[in-house]
Amino acid sequence: MERSRRRFLAVTAIGLAATVSLAGCGSAAGNTTGGSGSGSGAKQENITLAWWTNPSRTKMTQQAVQLFEKKYPNIHVTMEYAPWSGYWTKLATEAAGNSLPDVMQMDASRLNEYVTKGRLMDLGQTAVDTSGESKSTVSLGDVNGKLYALPVAINAICYIYNPALLKQAGITYDTSKSYTWSQFANILIQIHQKLPNVYGATDDIWQGAPLAYWARTHGQSLYSTDGKSIGMSQQTLAAWFAYWLNLQQKGGVVPAQQNSAYTHSDLQSSPFLKQQVAFTYMFIGEGPQYQTGLGSTIQRVLYPEWSQSSKPYMLHPSMYWTISSQTKHPKAAANLVNFLENDPQVSKIFQNDRGITANVKNMKADAAALGGIVKVQDDFMSQIQQIASPVPLDPPNAGQLNSVLKTIGQEVTFNKLTPDQAAAQFIQQANQILAQGS
């Protein structure tokens, strides 16, 4: 699903899988012979690192790689990065050609798929260092008893709102209250009634993470236990489509045309930053980008019905580091993973861009040294951890449901499908895709 967490400011169009080579220590871009110290006699190794990105993440990761090449002058890292959707297209092409990058940023929605197809190395057979993370965090990268992925950070969805717009509308939002879905919808509609040029929120109708949360607040799961089909009922899914369609009709969310032009992973296009909506959803790690883009403080709030005894809130491994099963440089790849995961200087560069830092020592050190929004993010995550429960990994092929949900969701917003028809179509198509992944 279109995991959003991948969102971005002042975006320049990064070409599909822009490939950039940076040699270490000031070497010219495109130099494939490595960084300084190549004359030391050590065997030169060239590895590739791939990640989905946004402009700020690109710069952060480039800085980290430069530090890595300085520490390991015999290892040169070629960097491949792309926006969310383009990243997976390119990775699939490389997988088909048996040319996957040595180290890859991986998402939970794709991890099972890449493991099932034998694309990833068992990190338990490498020198990857997991000692900085809690056992529960490390276990999030475990598939069938083997560690295939090392969580970079922990993340969770939340809503943010623009306090200035709510004040202008004369609406008070109690951040400690567990609103019902219905109460939340009424607030979004009231915003539009008070401020006709502003809508309550962006439309989540085709966003996978909020849909999974909706299912959990209805006592169900997005996927079946065996991962071979959709787990939520058609009735619950139809209610999801109906919920957002009702909001659209009453100004609680943006109109269909505006919604279709917006991609959550493209922060520049966000109606929230344009102050056209008061609320939007995000992953916690995205906070600094939204706040910077808005130019004023944002307010984080929990999703509706978070206080249910079933603990519907979800904790996600926001991203993983993985190593290709076909890498010819497993030691160099493990060195890079360890550096990106555990180096204190790198942690301060990354801050919480990829979510709340998984390395506990680094997380605490960053909060103490950086304070500000980093500490705000950490504190909010601590609040979520008290009310959340873990979720199983998405089944193989789950990543392919992004486009299905988006297409069907759009047809609902344009009144080409009723919520009931949309639910039936989504379940039918999704079940076919999931069955093929088992």
Side-chain angles (χ1 to χ4, degrees):
M1 305 272 170
E2 185 166 2
R3 279 201 59 179
S4 4
R5 38 222 154 95
R6 345 190 196 256
R7 354 243 121 114
F8 332 148
L9 186 57
V11 179
T12 57
I14 298 175
L16 184 65
T19 301
V20 176
S21 292
L22 287 184
C25 302
S27 303
N31 180 355
T32 59
T33 59
S36 63
S38 59
S40 64
K43 180 182 177 182
Q44 189 69 36
E45 295 186 89
N46 300 309
I47 61 175
T48 302
L49 166 67
W51 74 96
W52 69 84
T53 200
N54 59 63
S56 60
R57 185 175 302 154
T58 298
K59 293 179 181 177
M60 293 174 183
T61 311
Q62 288 173 339
Q63 290 178 44
V65 168
Q66 287 176 328
L67 290 174
F68 174 78
E69 290 182 327
K70 185 176 182 179
K71 182 174 181 179
Y72 297 94
N74 62 312
I75 303 175
H76 168 66
V77 180
T78 296
M79 291 180 272
E80 294 182 352
Y81 50 86
W84 169 255
S85 58
Y87 178 77
W88 297 109
T89 301
K90 185 171 192 305
L91 219 56
T93 301
E94 291 175 329
N98 294 320
S99 58
L100 280 171
D102 300 277
V103 177
M104 295 166 281
Q105 189 173 281
M106 184 59 59
D107 185 73
S109 66
R110 308 282 179 151
L111 179 58
N112 242 325
E113 176 183 345
Y114 276 76
V115 170
T116 301
K117 293 179 178 177
R119 304 296 188 188
L120 303 181
M121 179 173 286
D122 174 8
L123 299 184
Q125 303 302 312
T126 72
V128 165
D129 179 10
T130 64
S131 62
E133 303 185 12
S134 68
K135 289 183 180 179
S136 60
T137 299
V138 174
S139 69
L140 296 173
D142 186 289
V143 181
N144 301 325
K146 294 183 178 179
L147 183 66
Y148 285 99
L150 186 62
V152 177
I154 304 299
N155 224 338
I157 57 173
C158 68
Y159 274 113
I160 53 173
Y161 71 76
N162 182 334
L165 286 181
L166 260 65
K167 182 177 181 181
Q168 189 178 343
I171 292 174
T172 300
Y173 194 93
D174 184 350
T175 58
S176 66
K177 181 177 178 179
S178 179
Y179 288 95
T180 65
W181 283 105
S182 178
Q183 290 170 333
F184 183 64
N186 288 335
I187 290 172
L188 299 184
I189 294 168
Q190 287 175 25
I191 290 170
H192 183 62
Q193 291 173 341
K194 298 287 182 63
L195 304 173
N197 293 325
V198 176
Y199 299 96
T202 49
D203 193 336
D204 287 352
I205 194 167
W206 64 66
Q207 302 297 341
L211 173 58
Y213 179 78
W214 169 272
R216 287 165 68 87
T217 58
H218 287 75
Q220 301 172 28
S221 299
L222 179 54
Y223 302 110
S224 62
T225 304
D226 63 7
K228 296 180 180 179
S229 62
I230 293 298
M232 62 193 302
S233 71
Q234 184 171 321
Q235 181 181 15
T236 301
L237 182 55
W240 166 262
F241 289 127
Y243 182 83
W244 294 104
L245 182 60
N246 175 61
L247 279 170
Q248 178 188 300
Q249 292 168 342
K250 297 178 180 177
V253 297
V254 296
Q257 193 67 41
Q258 188 173 347
N259 192 43
S260 66
Y262 161 58
T263 299
H264 190 83
S265 60
D266 177 12
L267 197 63
Q268 191 177 41
S269 69
S270 171
F272 183 82
L273 297 191
K274 297 175 182 177
Q275 303 197 48
Q276 296 168 339
V277 300
F279 282 79
T280 193
Y281 102 94
M282 70 164 195
F283 281 82
I284 291 177
E286 298 170 325
Q289 299 169 62
Y290 273 102
Q291 188 154 302
T292 301
L294 185 64
S296 59
T297 301
I298 58 174
Q299 178 64 53
R300 296 159 181 78
V301 295
L302 299 169
Y303 259 64
E305 306 196 10
W306 54 264
S307 66
Q308 289 185 10
S309 58
S310 60
K311 291 192 170 184
Y313 234 90
M314 306 171 292
L315 280 180
H316 297 271
S318 67
M319 304 176 192
Y320 299 99
W321 296 123
T322 59
I323 296 177
S324 167
S325 60
Q326 295 182 321
T327 181
K328 296 178 181 177
H329 309 282
K331 185 176 180 180
N335 284 340
L336 178 58
V337 169
N338 283 336
F339 192 78
L340 296 174
E341 182 78 8
N342 298 317
D343 185 86
Q345 192 172 356
V346 170
S347 184
K348 285 186 172 55
I349 292 172
F350 286 171
Q351 298 186 22
N352 284 336
D353 174 72
R354 286 176 164 89
I356 305 304
T357 304
N359 184 302
V360 177
K361 184 177 179 180
N362 286 344
M363 180 193 70
K364 293 179 179 178
D366 293 347
L370 302 172
I373 198 166
V374 171
K375 189 173 186 311
V376 170
Q377 289 173 297
D378 291 351
D379 291 345
F380 193 68
M381 177 58 83
S382 295
Q383 182 183 354
I384 290 178
Q385 287 175 321
Q386 300 301 314
I387 60 168
S389 56
V391 292
L393 279 175
D394 289 353
N397 283 3
Q400 296 179 31
L401 303 189
N402 293 337
S403 58
V404 177
L405 181 60
K406 182 172 183 177
T407 298
I408 290 176
Q410 282 188 333
E411 291 185 345
V412 173
T413 63
F414 283 103
N415 294 311
K416 294 180 178 178
L417 288 175
T418 66
D420 287 336
Q421 291 170 332
Q425 286 195 20
F426 179 79
I427 290 175
Q428 187 267 331
Q429 293 181 38
N431 285 350
Q432 285 185 351
I433 292 171
L434 293 172
Q436 293 170 0
S438 55

